[in-house]
Amino acid sequence: MYRRFGGGRWSVPEIFKAMSLRPDLMEKALDLSEMGHFSDGYLDRRTKERIATFVSSLNASHYCVGSHAGGLRDLGARSAEVAALARGDLDAASLSAKDRALFEFVRQLTLKPGEVKDEDVARLRRKGWRDEQIFEAAFDTSLFAFFNRLAITYGLDYPPDGWQPPLRTALRPGGGS
């Protein structure tokens, strides 16, 4: 695992260290996330990081919010958008109507999965989303439900090298007033 992340002990993300009790499952989870999330597909990486940040916010997974909001920031997203998605605030994220529809679907799939209906998918198609993109959005939403629950189970907090909420940043030594 250390070789795979290209460095020593500190290079492996905490979520994978938490999963190390089952190395076989940890490897498969990493493969799945590399193939499905950390690569362009029918959705680009930035959209996937937006989904991961938003889902993690809805699930109150500080570790995953910090990690993926940091990734979104590193991909060039505006600070206001990153902060809004990290708070779960779609209004402040300034999304296009098409993107807003996708993120409303992501919210529903995260918070009320049993209420997702064919009409919800049809609505996304009418907004211009293709089935492959809808699948990837649902996949990423589901993947982060999985990772969020593991991070919460192990009490993982905001990663020190990831995004941090403004108040937390201001309270850190050297972080502001």
Side-chain angles (χ1 to χ4, degrees), residues 74-109:
D74 294 347
L75 289 170
R78 295 175 297 105
S79 295
E81 178 188 27
V82 172
L85 291 172
R87 289 190 315 272
D89 183 355
L90 293 182
D91 293 331
S94 301
L95 301 171
S96 68
K98 180 181 177 182
D99 285 351
R100 177 68 183 238
L102 183 68
F103 280 82
E104 290 292 349
F105 172 77
V106 165
R107 180 194 324 259
Q108 182 181 13
L109 185 57

mmCIF file of all heavy atoms in Angstrom, residues 74-109:
data_model
loop_
_atom_site.group_PDB
_atom_site.id
_atom_site.type_symbol
_atom_site.label_atom_id
_atom_site.label_comp_id
_atom_site.label_asym_id
_atom_site.label_seq_id
_atom_site.Cartn_x
_atom_site.Cartn_y
_atom_site.Cartn_z
ATOM 1 N N ASP A 74 -7.906 21.732 -5.435
ATOM 2 C CA ASP A 74 -6.697 21.489 -6.223
ATOM 3 C C ASP A 74 -6.985 21.376 -7.719
ATOM 4 O O ASP A 74 -6.093 21.601 -8.541
ATOM 5 C CB ASP A 74 -5.987 20.224 -5.739
ATOM 6 C CG ASP A 74 -5.441 20.366 -4.325
ATOM 7 O OD1 ASP A 74 -5.381 21.504 -3.796
ATOM 8 O OD2 ASP A 74 -5.099 19.316 -3.743
ATOM 9 N N LEU A 75 -8.231 21.041 -8.070
ATOM 10 C CA LEU A 75 -8.621 20.969 -9.485
ATOM 11 C C LEU A 75 -9.075 22.323 -10.024
ATOM 12 O O LEU A 75 -9.540 22.424 -11.155
ATOM 13 C CB LEU A 75 -9.730 19.931 -9.673
ATOM 14 C CG LEU A 75 -9.286 18.480 -9.515
ATOM 15 C CD1 LEU A 75 -10.494 17.538 -9.485
ATOM 16 C CD2 LEU A 75 -8.326 18.080 -10.634
ATOM 17 N N GLY A 76 -8.948 23.365 -9.200
ATOM 18 C CA GLY A 76 -9.215 24.718 -9.674
ATOM 19 C C GLY A 76 -10.607 25.269 -9.410
ATOM 20 O O GLY A 76 -10.965 26.308 -9.950
ATOM 21 N N ALA A 77 -11.387 24.601 -8.581
ATOM 22 C CA ALA A 77 -12.728 25.124 -8.278
ATOM 23 C C ALA A 77 -12.614 26.402 -7.455
ATOM 24 O O ALA A 77 -11.663 26.591 -6.698
ATOM 25 C CB ALA A 77 -13.543 24.076 -7.517
ATOM 26 N N ARG A 78 -13.583 27.278 -7.641
ATOM 27 C CA ARG A 78 -13.622 28.527 -6.878
ATOM 28 C C ARG A 78 -13.812 28.232 -5.392
ATOM 29 O O ARG A 78 -14.523 27.301 -5.023
ATOM 30 C CB ARG A 78 -14.789 29.404 -7.348
ATOM 31 C CG ARG A 78 -14.683 29.911 -8.779
ATOM 32 C CD ARG A 78 -15.935 30.674 -9.235
ATOM 33 N NE ARG A 78 -17.115 29.803 -9.238
ATOM 34 C CZ ARG A 78 -18.103 29.834 -8.328
ATOM 35 N NH1 ARG A 78 -18.090 30.698 -7.336
ATOM 36 N NH2 ARG A 78 -19.124 28.997 -8.405
ATOM 37 N N SER A 79 -13.204 29.019 -4.546
ATOM 38 C CA SER A 79 -13.297 28.837 -3.088
ATOM 39 C C SER A 79 -14.738 28.846 -2.613
ATOM 40 O O SER A 79 -15.117 28.062 -1.741
ATOM 41 C CB SER A 79 -12.522 29.934 -2.360
ATOM 42 O OG SER A 79 -11.159 29.833 -2.643
ATOM 43 N N ALA A 80 -15.556 29.732 -3.181
ATOM 44 C CA ALA A 80 -16.964 29.825 -2.765
ATOM 45 C C ALA A 80 -17.720 28.539 -3.095
ATOM 46 O O ALA A 80 -18.545 28.083 -2.309
ATOM 47 C CB ALA A 80 -17.640 31.022 -3.422
ATOM 48 N N GLU A 81 -17.442 27.952 -4.260
ATOM 49 C CA GLU A 81 -18.104 26.700 -4.641
ATOM 50 C C GLU A 81 -17.661 25.566 -3.722
ATOM 51 O O GLU A 81 -18.482 24.774 -3.250
ATOM 52 C CB GLU A 81 -17.797 26.337 -6.091
ATOM 53 C CG GLU A 81 -18.421 25.015 -6.491
ATOM 54 C CD GLU A 81 -18.001 24.513 -7.861
ATOM 55 O OE1 GLU A 81 -16.897 24.847 -8.331
ATOM 56 O OE2 GLU A 81 -18.797 23.761 -8.453
ATOM 57 N N VAL A 82 -16.363 25.486 -3.452
ATOM 58 C CA VAL A 82 -15.837 24.440 -2.584
ATOM 59 C C VAL A 82 -16.491 24.538 -1.211
ATOM 60 O O VAL A 82 -16.995 23.552 -0.673
ATOM 61 C CB VAL A 82 -14.294 24.527 -2.475
ATOM 62 C CG1 VAL A 82 -13.770 23.561 -1.421
ATOM 63 C CG2 VAL A 82 -13.641 24.263 -3.827
ATOM 64 N N ALA A 83 -16.504 25.728 -0.635
ATOM 65 C CA ALA A 83 -17.079 25.929 0.699
ATOM 66 C C ALA A 83 -18.571 25.612 0.703
ATOM 67 O O ALA A 83 -19.078 24.992 1.644
ATOM 68 C CB ALA A 83 -16.829 27.351 1.176
ATOM 69 N N ALA A 84 -19.290 26.012 -0.334
ATOM 70 C CA ALA A 84 -20.733 25.754 -0.399
ATOM 71 C C ALA A 84 -21.024 24.258 -0.462
ATOM 72 O O ALA A 84 -21.888 23.757 0.266
ATOM 73 C CB ALA A 84 -21.341 26.468 -1.610
ATOM 74 N N LEU A 85 -20.319 23.534 -1.307
ATOM 75 C CA LEU A 85 -20.540 22.092 -1.401
ATOM 76 C C LEU A 85 -20.113 21.390 -0.115
ATOM 77 O O LEU A 85 -20.754 20.433 0.308
ATOM 78 C CB LEU A 85 -19.810 21.506 -2.615
ATOM 79 C CG LEU A 85 -20.388 21.933 -3.967
ATOM 80 C CD1 LEU A 85 -19.484 21.469 -5.106
ATOM 81 C CD2 LEU A 85 -21.817 21.433 -4.162
ATOM 82 N N ALA A 86 -19.061 21.889 0.522
ATOM 83 C CA ALA A 86 -18.607 21.307 1.785
ATOM 84 C C ALA A 86 -19.629 21.526 2.899
ATOM 85 O O ALA A 86 -19.666 20.761 3.862
ATOM 86 C CB ALA A 86 -17.257 21.892 2.181
ATOM 87 N N ARG A 87 -20.461 22.552 2.755
ATOM 88 C CA ARG A 87 -21.559 22.801 3.711
ATOM 89 C C ARG A 87 -22.858 22.130 3.273
ATOM 90 O O ARG A 87 -23.848 22.173 3.990
ATOM 91 C CB ARG A 87 -21.835 24.302 3.839
ATOM 92 C CG ARG A 87 -20.819 25.117 4.537
ATOM 93 C CD ARG A 87 -21.323 26.543 4.799
ATOM 94 N NE ARG A 87 -21.986 27.191 3.677
ATOM 95 C CZ ARG A 87 -21.373 27.908 2.735
ATOM 96 N NH1 ARG A 87 -20.070 28.075 2.769
ATOM 97 N NH2 ARG A 87 -22.070 28.456 1.754
ATOM 98 N N GLY A 88 -22.884 21.587 2.065
ATOM 99 C CA GLY A 88 -24.113 20.996 1.530
ATOM 100 C C GLY A 88 -25.101 22.041 1.042
ATOM 101 O O GLY A 88 -26.293 21.785 0.971
ATOM 102 N N ASP A 89 -24.617 23.221 0.671
ATOM 103 C CA ASP A 89 -25.453 24.360 0.290
ATOM 104 C C ASP A 89 -25.444 24.533 -1.230
ATOM 105 O O ASP A 89 -24.569 25.219 -1.772
ATOM 106 C CB ASP A 89 -24.938 25.608 0.997
ATOM 107 C CG ASP A 89 -25.765 26.845 0.731
ATOM 108 O OD1 ASP A 89 -26.706 26.798 -0.091
ATOM 109 O OD2 ASP A 89 -25.456 27.882 1.363
ATOM 110 N N LEU A 90 -26.416 23.938 -1.899
ATOM 111 C CA LEU A 90 -26.470 24.027 -3.360
ATOM 112 C C LEU A 90 -26.759 25.436 -3.843
ATOM 113 O O LEU A 90 -26.282 25.833 -4.906
ATOM 114 C CB LEU A 90 -27.514 23.055 -3.917
ATOM 115 C CG LEU A 90 -27.203 21.572 -3.758
ATOM 116 C CD1 LEU A 90 -28.304 20.731 -4.389
ATOM 117 C CD2 LEU A 90 -25.849 21.223 -4.351
ATOM 118 N N ASP A 91 -27.535 26.207 -3.094
ATOM 119 C CA ASP A 91 -27.847 27.571 -3.513
ATOM 120 C C ASP A 91 -26.579 28.414 -3.628
ATOM 121 O O ASP A 91 -26.400 29.155 -4.581
ATOM 122 C CB ASP A 91 -28.828 28.230 -2.545
ATOM 123 C CG ASP A 91 -30.203 27.578 -2.587
ATOM 124 O OD1 ASP A 91 -30.594 27.045 -3.651
ATOM 125 O OD2 ASP A 91 -30.891 27.599 -1.554
ATOM 126 N N ALA A 92 -25.700 28.306 -2.666
ATOM 127 C CA ALA A 92 -24.469 29.101 -2.663
ATOM 128 C C ALA A 92 -23.423 28.558 -3.635
ATOM 129 O O ALA A 92 -22.443 29.242 -3.929
ATOM 130 C CB ALA A 92 -23.891 29.160 -1.252
ATOM 131 N N ALA A 93 -23.617 27.342 -4.138
ATOM 132 C CA ALA A 93 -22.643 26.749 -5.055
ATOM 133 C C ALA A 93 -22.737 27.327 -6.462
ATOM 134 O O ALA A 93 -21.869 27.088 -7.293
ATOM 135 C CB ALA A 93 -22.808 25.230 -5.094
ATOM 136 N N SER A 94 -23.782 28.093 -6.753
ATOM 137 C CA SER A 94 -23.960 28.731 -8.065
ATOM 138 C C SER A 94 -23.864 27.736 -9.217
ATOM 139 O O SER A 94 -23.070 27.896 -10.138
ATOM 140 C CB SER A 94 -22.943 29.858 -8.262
ATOM 141 O OG SER A 94 -23.083 30.829 -7.263
ATOM 142 N N LEU A 95 -24.670 26.701 -9.150
ATOM 143 C CA LEU A 95 -24.665 25.662 -10.179
ATOM 144 C C LEU A 95 -25.560 26.046 -11.343
ATOM 145 O O LEU A 95 -26.581 26.728 -11.162
ATOM 146 C CB LEU A 95 -25.167 24.345 -9.582
ATOM 147 C CG LEU A 95 -24.386 23.789 -8.400
ATOM 148 C CD1 LEU A 95 -25.135 22.608 -7.789
ATOM 149 C CD2 LEU A 95 -22.991 23.387 -8.816
ATOM 150 N N SER A 96 -25.223 25.568 -12.519
ATOM 151 C CA SER A 96 -26.107 25.723 -13.675
ATOM 152 C C SER A 96 -27.385 24.917 -13.405
ATOM 153 O O SER A 96 -27.408 24.047 -12.525
ATOM 154 C CB SER A 96 -25.429 25.202 -14.939
ATOM 155 O OG SER A 96 -25.284 23.785 -14.866
ATOM 156 N N ALA A 97 -28.431 25.177 -14.168
ATOM 157 C CA ALA A 97 -29.690 24.429 -13.992
ATOM 158 C C ALA A 97 -29.460 22.938 -14.218
ATOM 159 O O ALA A 97 -30.018 22.095 -13.493
ATOM 160 C CB ALA A 97 -30.761 24.973 -14.949
ATOM 161 N N LYS A 98 -28.633 22.600 -15.198
ATOM 162 C CA LYS A 98 -28.342 21.196 -15.486
ATOM 163 C C LYS A 98 -27.617 20.550 -14.302
ATOM 164 O O LYS A 98 -27.994 19.471 -13.839
ATOM 165 C CB LYS A 98 -27.488 21.093 -16.753
ATOM 166 C CG LYS A 98 -27.119 19.675 -17.138
ATOM 167 C CD LYS A 98 -26.245 19.649 -18.391
ATOM 168 C CE LYS A 98 -25.833 18.224 -18.722
ATOM 169 N NZ LYS A 98 -24.956 18.162 -19.892
ATOM 170 N N ASP A 99 -26.568 21.215 -13.807
ATOM 171 C CA ASP A 99 -25.823 20.681 -12.665
ATOM 172 C C ASP A 99 -26.688 20.630 -11.418
ATOM 173 O O ASP A 99 -26.605 19.679 -10.627
ATOM 174 C CB ASP A 99 -24.570 21.509 -12.398
ATOM 175 C CG ASP A 99 -23.463 21.252 -13.414
ATOM 176 O OD1 ASP A 99 -23.592 20.323 -14.230
ATOM 177 O OD2 ASP A 99 -22.466 21.997 -13.387
ATOM 178 N N ARG A 100 -27.525 21.635 -11.221
ATOM 179 C CA ARG A 100 -28.404 21.662 -10.043
ATOM 180 C C ARG A 100 -29.299 20.420 -10.035
ATOM 181 O O ARG A 100 -29.504 19.796 -8.991
ATOM 182 C CB ARG A 100 -29.235 22.949 -10.043
ATOM 183 C CG ARG A 100 -30.243 23.074 -8.919
ATOM 184 C CD ARG A 100 -29.529 23.240 -7.579
ATOM 185 N NE ARG A 100 -30.467 23.280 -6.487
ATOM 186 C CZ ARG A 100 -30.564 24.274 -5.633
ATOM 187 N NH1 ARG A 100 -29.786 25.336 -5.737
ATOM 188 N NH2 ARG A 100 -31.430 24.219 -4.657
ATOM 189 N N ALA A 101 -29.835 20.057 -11.188
ATOM 190 C CA ALA A 101 -30.684 18.866 -11.286
ATOM 191 C C ALA A 101 -29.899 17.612 -10.868
ATOM 192 O O ALA A 101 -30.413 16.763 -10.131
ATOM 193 C CB ALA A 101 -31.235 18.709 -12.704
ATOM 194 N N LEU A 102 -28.658 17.507 -11.325
ATOM 195 C CA LEU A 102 -27.832 16.352 -10.962
ATOM 196 C C LEU A 102 -27.592 16.318 -9.455
ATOM 197 O O LEU A 102 -27.713 15.267 -8.821
ATOM 198 C CB LEU A 102 -26.498 16.383 -11.713
ATOM 199 C CG LEU A 102 -25.593 15.172 -11.467
ATOM 200 C CD1 LEU A 102 -26.201 13.916 -12.084
ATOM 201 C CD2 LEU A 102 -24.198 15.426 -12.034
ATOM 202 N N PHE A 103 -27.287 17.460 -8.872
ATOM 203 C CA PHE A 103 -26.984 17.493 -7.443
ATOM 204 C C PHE A 103 -28.234 17.314 -6.582
ATOM 205 O O PHE A 103 -28.142 16.774 -5.478
ATOM 206 C CB PHE A 103 -26.175 18.746 -7.087
ATOM 207 C CG PHE A 103 -24.725 18.564 -7.420
ATOM 208 C CD1 PHE A 103 -24.264 18.751 -8.714
ATOM 209 C CD2 PHE A 103 -23.834 18.147 -6.461
ATOM 210 C CE1 PHE A 103 -22.945 18.532 -9.036
ATOM 211 C CE2 PHE A 103 -22.500 17.920 -6.767
ATOM 212 C CZ PHE A 103 -22.056 18.111 -8.062
ATOM 213 N N GLU A 104 -29.380 17.701 -7.071
ATOM 214 C CA GLU A 104 -30.627 17.396 -6.359
ATOM 215 C C GLU A 104 -30.869 15.880 -6.359
ATOM 216 O O GLU A 104 -31.305 15.306 -5.365
ATOM 217 C CB GLU A 104 -31.818 18.131 -6.968
ATOM 218 C CG GLU A 104 -31.814 19.629 -6.743
ATOM 219 C CD GLU A 104 -32.018 20.047 -5.293
ATOM 220 O OE1 GLU A 104 -32.373 19.203 -4.439
ATOM 221 O OE2 GLU A 104 -31.812 21.239 -5.001
ATOM 222 N N PHE A 105 -30.561 15.244 -7.489
ATOM 223 C CA PHE A 105 -30.658 13.788 -7.573
ATOM 224 C C PHE A 105 -29.674 13.131 -6.607
ATOM 225 O O PHE A 105 -30.022 12.191 -5.884
ATOM 226 C CB PHE A 105 -30.391 13.329 -9.012
ATOM 227 C CG PHE A 105 -30.288 11.837 -9.168
ATOM 228 C CD1 PHE A 105 -31.423 11.043 -9.169
ATOM 229 C CD2 PHE A 105 -29.051 11.229 -9.320
ATOM 230 C CE1 PHE A 105 -31.327 9.653 -9.313
ATOM 231 C CE2 PHE A 105 -28.936 9.855 -9.467
ATOM 232 C CZ PHE A 105 -30.087 9.071 -9.455
ATOM 233 N N VAL A 106 -28.445 13.627 -6.577
ATOM 234 C CA VAL A 106 -27.425 13.103 -5.660
ATOM 235 C C VAL A 106 -27.900 13.247 -4.212
ATOM 236 O O VAL A 106 -27.742 12.332 -3.405
ATOM 237 C CB VAL A 106 -26.072 13.808 -5.900
ATOM 238 C CG1 VAL A 106 -25.101 13.576 -4.757
ATOM 239 C CG2 VAL A 106 -25.465 13.350 -7.224
ATOM 240 N N ARG A 107 -28.507 14.385 -3.883
ATOM 241 C CA ARG A 107 -29.025 14.588 -2.532
ATOM 242 C C ARG A 107 -30.108 13.548 -2.206
ATOM 243 O O ARG A 107 -30.098 12.930 -1.153
ATOM 244 C CB ARG A 107 -29.613 15.987 -2.363
ATOM 245 C CG ARG A 107 -30.157 16.200 -0.952
ATOM 246 C CD ARG A 107 -31.065 17.419 -0.767
ATOM 247 N NE ARG A 107 -30.764 18.580 -1.508
ATOM 248 C CZ ARG A 107 -30.140 19.660 -1.014
ATOM 249 N NH1 ARG A 107 -29.740 19.690 0.232
ATOM 250 N NH2 ARG A 107 -29.943 20.706 -1.790
ATOM 251 N N GLN A 108 -31.022 13.353 -3.148
ATOM 252 C CA GLN A 108 -32.099 12.387 -2.928
ATOM 253 C C GLN A 108 -31.546 10.974 -2.765
ATOM 254 O O GLN A 108 -31.951 10.238 -1.861
ATOM 255 C CB GLN A 108 -33.097 12.435 -4.084
ATOM 256 C CG GLN A 108 -34.265 11.495 -3.905
ATOM 257 C CD GLN A 108 -35.224 11.536 -5.061
ATOM 258 O OE1 GLN A 108 -34.930 12.087 -6.122
ATOM 259 N NE2 GLN A 108 -36.389 10.952 -4.879
ATOM 260 N N LEU A 109 -30.605 10.602 -3.620
ATOM 261 C CA LEU A 109 -30.017 9.265 -3.549
ATOM 262 C C LEU A 109 -29.258 9.068 -2.238
ATOM 263 O O LEU A 109 -29.255 7.976 -1.678
ATOM 264 C CB LEU A 109 -29.090 9.031 -4.742
ATOM 265 C CG LEU A 109 -28.491 7.642 -4.886
ATOM 266 C CD1 LEU A 109 -29.577 6.567 -4.962
ATOM 267 C CD2 LEU A 109 -27.605 7.592 -6.132
#
